[in-house]
Each structure stands twice: as C-alpha cells, then as structure tokens.
Amino acid sequence: MITAGIDVGSVSTKVVLLVDNEIKYLVRPTGWSPRDAGEQTYHELLAQVGCKPENVAYRVGTGYGRISLGFIDKAVTEIHCHARGANYLVGRGGLVIDIGGQDSKAILINQQGKVIDFTMNDKCAAGTGRFLQVMAAALGVDVSELADLAAGRNPLEINSMCTVFAESEVISLLAKGADKRDIIAGIHRSVARRVWGMASRFMPAEQVIFTGGVARNHHIKDQLAREAGVPVIVPELSQVAGALGAALYARELAEKC
Amino acid sequence: MRPESMKIFDDLRNLNVLTIQNAKKNGEKVVGCYCTYSPQELILAAGAHSVTLCGTRQEPVAAAERDLPRNLCPLIKSSYGFAITGKCPYFEAADLLVAETTCDGKKKMYELMGKIKPMHVMNLPQSADSEGALEQWTQEMHRFKAWLEQKFAVQITEEDIRKAIKLMNRERNALRRLHAVTKFKPSPITGVDLLVSVWTKGFNVNKEEGIKLVEDLAAEVEAMAARGESPFTADAPRILLTGCPVGFGSEKVVRLLEESGASVVAFENCSGYKSLDRLVDEDPNKDVMVALAEKYLNIPCSCMTPNQGRLELIGKLAKEYEVDGVVDLTWQACHTYNVEAFVIRDYVQKQLNLPYMHLETDYSESDVEQLRVRVQAFLELIQG
C-alpha cells in the first residue's frame, strides 16, 4: 500500500510516501504559496518514485498549510504527526521537542507513541527557526553555517527573548567588538534555554527526541542536551518526522476504510 | 438546528439598549456592575435597575491603552475603554457604579474610572474562610446599602431586600436550569448559544421578563433534547471551560472549540456557573445582610486565597456534565487565574483523570490560527 503525508511548514514543505514499509521523502521551500508548495512537492515525489496519484490509498496533511491543501483526505495537527513520526523513528516514547520555522513545541508521548500532553510557544518567535533566521541575517551568515561557527565557542549572554530586541542586542555586541562566533553560541544557548523552559514541565522523561528543521543544528542539540540532562536524540529523518507521522496516520486510516 | 428562542436573544442586544434608554428617560435609576461579587439584591431593593457593563470586546482596548499599561488583562482594558469612549450605552445610562477589590489591576483601574462616574468599591476579603472575613464582608454590605440610600435618597427596608433575594434566586434557578440542558448527550444547544443567551440576559433591566425568557429557552431546548435534536454528533468531545470570564466578543476559544468539533457543555467561569452554584439563604430568621455576605463571599474566584472551592466546583461539574476534557482559559496578564492554572492542571489530570489544556490569549484575533492548532491537537488527544 502507498500512503502520503504532506507537512506544509512555514519555511519548508516535507512530503513522505510510505511505500509499504519504505520511506520516500522530499523537502522543498514553502515559498509564498503553501497550497502550491504542498501540491508541487507531492507530485514531484510521486514522479520520482514512479507512482501514479491514483495509486496512493490515503493522504494526510499537516503543518500550518494543511488547511489550504485541496487534495488531502484528512488534516491532522502537527502535534500528533510529530509524535507519531518521532515514535516510529526512535521506537520508544519520550519527550518530543520540535522546533519549526514559526513555532516550537514539546510533546510528551508514551511508549506506544500516544500523546499524553503538549505545549507550544505563545505567539512570538523566540526559540523558533525564525529567530535563528533573523539572527543569521543580522550577522551576515547563512543559517546552515550557524552550528559549525558556534561549536566550541564561549557563548555570550543574549538576554532578550523578543526577536527584534535580541537583534538589537546582537548588533550592540558586534559594535562592542564581540566575536561573531561567540555571539552565535550565545544565540543557540538562548534558544535551547527558551525551549527547555517550556518543555521541562514534562520531566522526568528518559529521553528527548528532537525533530523539526532546527534539529539539524548539532550545536543547538548539544545545548539542549546540557539543559535537559538526558540524552537528546536526533533521528536521521528528524526533519520529515511530521510528514512521516502524517503518512503513518494515512496508512492507519486507509486500513480502516 | 438552533432553538427558535435564540432569535429573541439575538434581537435582545438591540432591545436592551432601547429599554435602558427608556428607563432612563422615565427617571428610573440605574446601577452598573462589572463583577459577580456585586450584590444585585441591594440595588434592586433600592428600587434601581442593575446592569452589567460592557467589557468583552476588543474595540476600545486601544483607547484604554492611552491611560493603562499595555500588559494588563483585556477585560480591564476593554471595560475602561468603553467607559472613556462613551461607546457602552449601559455605562452611559448608569447613575452609579459598584465594583469590588478583586484583582489588583481592576481595583486600581476603578480608581481612574471613579473620576468619570460615582463609584463605590466594596472591600472584598481575599480569603473566604479566614477569621473575620464574613463579618468584614457583611460590613461592606451595610456600607454599600448606606451609600445607595444616600445617593438615591431612599430607605432600603429588610422587606425590600428579602423580596429582591427571592427574585434573584429565581433568576439563578432559571439560569441553572438553562445550564443544565447541556447535560443531555449530545447537548441540544451549542456552547456559543448558551454563552450568548446568558451574557445577553445580563444586560436585561427587567428581571421578570429576563427570567421568563431564560425559562422559555430552557423549556424549548429541553423539548429539543427529548426529541433527540442536537447540533452535535454523539461522539463530539464534551468540554468544560474554566478560567476567566467570557462574553460576547470574547468567545473566540468557545467558537474555535466548537468549529473544531467539540461541544462546550459546562462553563465553570464566573460568566457561567460559578456565581449560580449557591443561592442566597432565604431563611426568614437569618440576618439578611449576613445571608447576602455568605453567598457572595463563597464565590470561588481566583482572587481568593486559597481557592479550594474552584477545584470542588470543577470536579462537580466535570462529573455532572460527563465531560471529556477541561480547557482553562486565561486572559493575558490575569495573574490570579494564570498562576492557579498550575494547580488546576494537576487536579484535572491527576484527580479527575481528564485531559487538560491551558490557553492564554486576549480579545484580539491575531492568534486565532495558532490557537486552532492547540485546540485541534487537544481534541485529537481526547479522541485518541
């Protein structure tokens, strides 16, 4: 059976095709149209895999763009899709931390992958991918370079939670002659602290499963592990955990039909 | 399907404005209240109308922020904004205002509002069970009665008060009956309609008419339930809403819950059931002012410390209304409810074994989509 999970995030669109037990995936920037991004990425992956749309048994959409997708059979929130995907990738329960483009969430799941409780950041961009994007732009570096630049450096204190004020703080530090790499380390630590401040209410949990685009930043992973005091696992397919969860839901729902 | 009587409640919003303006033209007296701690019985006994004042809409918040801090709860800012912009017909009609020292934000705001209209602030003890609290609150009842007598140049007799107590208890009983219709499974009325009808009733100056309207609506909805009519499917998750007061214009969380497939069946907040749970003792041998003080002092508002009564009420309602989950709504910067959320979470999850979600928001629409994700995820959690 073939099922699909389409996760349209604010920054990137992730599609997973579950071909029996094989995971095929594709990631593309969302751009300005979540609807087009979802549809195009889905069809591109179908073409890559050599699969016709009519052979897909069920489609589940998730992420902030899920409501704009016309071709899906059901929408499931990213909370449940990330939980399901993370549980599948790691094979155990724990505390799932997902840092995406516009929000971050902490989801407590049991050994079966069932959501017990969850929390999300309120409104502002502190502790999200967006926060990192703005800071990277202020420092004139690419987001993908951040982790390597920060590794092994002395993190400087970044006190502001507000993205705009934190940007001013970063600019002030630069003006004082601070090292860019120490500033980046400080930014990472502030993201980790902010997210952990939100997630720590769900402790004790034996492990943290880190998903979402920001999980690709190994330095933030290390900072998060320092805060958490338990192992932080970043599965290989962490970025597509939500789309994978959606595809797993799709499989379950297809079997019910 | 929607109860026919709801149309009357929809129209009532405009009608209430005309009624209050006419009453005013006829020289009748009006006292405006903000909170369920206001002893309406004393206002009625003084021969005046008691009305709820506006404070559940976003519109006047910007005007209020000229005088008040931005980081203040939207209910206080909206109330004050309505007062200074002249956009609340009930505030305009009010001869006098009565308020209580509940939270810090409100009581300091009342000082500013008192410059606009004559304002009496009752000094509410912050602990219902503490020594001397009942005596102090009884004294406050006497102080408010004396103030009304002086301002309106009337004499409030014990008989007047006893009559008003009976009337208000009848109103409470009618509202209790209306709330109870959602005990049917599935509920025959939406939470939004229940909220709108209860809220609109608060602006109705004619108590007898208001009671009749509520009873008619309750009877109609009971009949719908008997015929098995409901706007919900049988598997719609049943939600208890607790936390800050909710009114028309600030019902977004209730709306989001129901748009996402839930049925809001119980409102524990003070705009819902909190102030109805206890009636005023009608025992003719009991001191009438003590009877009033006892009723109002025992409202389990988060401004009380400790506030065990709220847990008991949530537990009772959760059981009676057979709810599947509890949503705790805090208006931004409402410290008492926000801090209490920690205790409520623990109680709901561990004692009641029910899913719990805390939401913090304001009256604006800016976070509706973020809230929708949380609400939908919460309902998915309930439905497994």
Side-chain angles (χ1 to χ4, degrees), chain B residues 156-174:
Chain B
I156 301 176
T157 67
E158 188 182 324
E159 200 197 331
D160 292 331
I161 302 174
R162 293 209 184 268
K163 236 174 81 186
I165 288 174
K166 286 207 168 73
L167 180 64
M168 284 302 299
N169 277 348
R170 276 176 50 218
E171 183 183 282
R172 288 185 189 106
N173 275 325

Side-chain angles (χ1 to χ4, degrees), chain A residues 153-165:
Chain A
R153 304 298 303 190
N154 290 322
L156 288 170
E157 207 62 52
I158 307 287
N159 298 297
S160 187
M161 287 297 171
C162 166
T163 309
V164 176
F165 290 149

Side-chain angles (χ1 to χ4, degrees), chain A residues 168-232:
Chain A
S168 310
E169 221 180 318
V170 163
I171 291 166
S172 304
L173 286 170
L174 285 174
K176 279 185 208 154
D179 190 300
K180 208 185 247 191
R181 292 164 294 183
D182 294 338
I183 298 176
I184 296 169
I187 290 165
H188 286 180
R189 195 171 63 180
S190 102
V191 168
R193 280 185 179 167
R194 166 84 181 177
V195 171
W196 189 249
M198 179 180 82
S200 58
R201 76 151 65 130
F202 296 131
M203 293 301 278
E206 63 183 76
Q207 62 180 354
V208 168
I209 309 165
F210 191 12
T211 66
V214 176
R216 291 192 299 169
N217 182 316
H218 60 79
H219 189 246
I220 291 190
K221 178 202 161 194
D222 295 343
Q223 295 292 316
L224 198 56
R226 255 178 62 135
E227 296 291 326
V230 292
V232 172

Side-chain angles (χ1 to χ4, degrees), chain B residues 334-347:
Chain B
C334 175
H335 305 319
T336 56
Y337 274 107
N338 216 355
V339 175
E340 231 174 63
F342 180 76
V343 178
I344 304 293
R345 170 187 294 273
D346 203 56
Y347 174 73

Side-chain angles (χ1 to χ4, degrees), chain B residues 307-325:
Chain B
N307 188 27
Q308 184 63 27
R310 183 172 170 215
L311 297 181
E312 285 159 16
L313 188 55
I314 290 173
K316 179 180 132 170
L317 294 178
K319 198 164 163 241
E320 283 180 9
Y321 288 75
E322 298 179 64
V323 306
D324 302 308

Side-chain angles (χ1 to χ4, degrees), chain A residues 91-113:
Chain A
R92 267 178 303 160
L95 178 54
V96 179
I97 291 180
D98 169 60
I99 306 184
Q102 69 180 3
D103 56 30
S104 47
K105 33 198 171 284
I107 312 157
L108 185 66
I109 57 172
N110 68 11
Q111 296 294 326
Q112 288 72 45

Side-chain angles (χ1 to χ4, degrees), chain A residues 66 77 80 117 121 201, chain B residues 345 349 374 376-377 380-381:
Chain A
R66 70 191 179 285
T77 62
H80 282 78
D117 205 348
N121 66 312
R201 76 151 65 130
Chain B
R345 170 187 294 273
Q349 290 181 336
R374 292 163 174 72
Q376 287 177 353
E380 287 169 358
L381 189 155

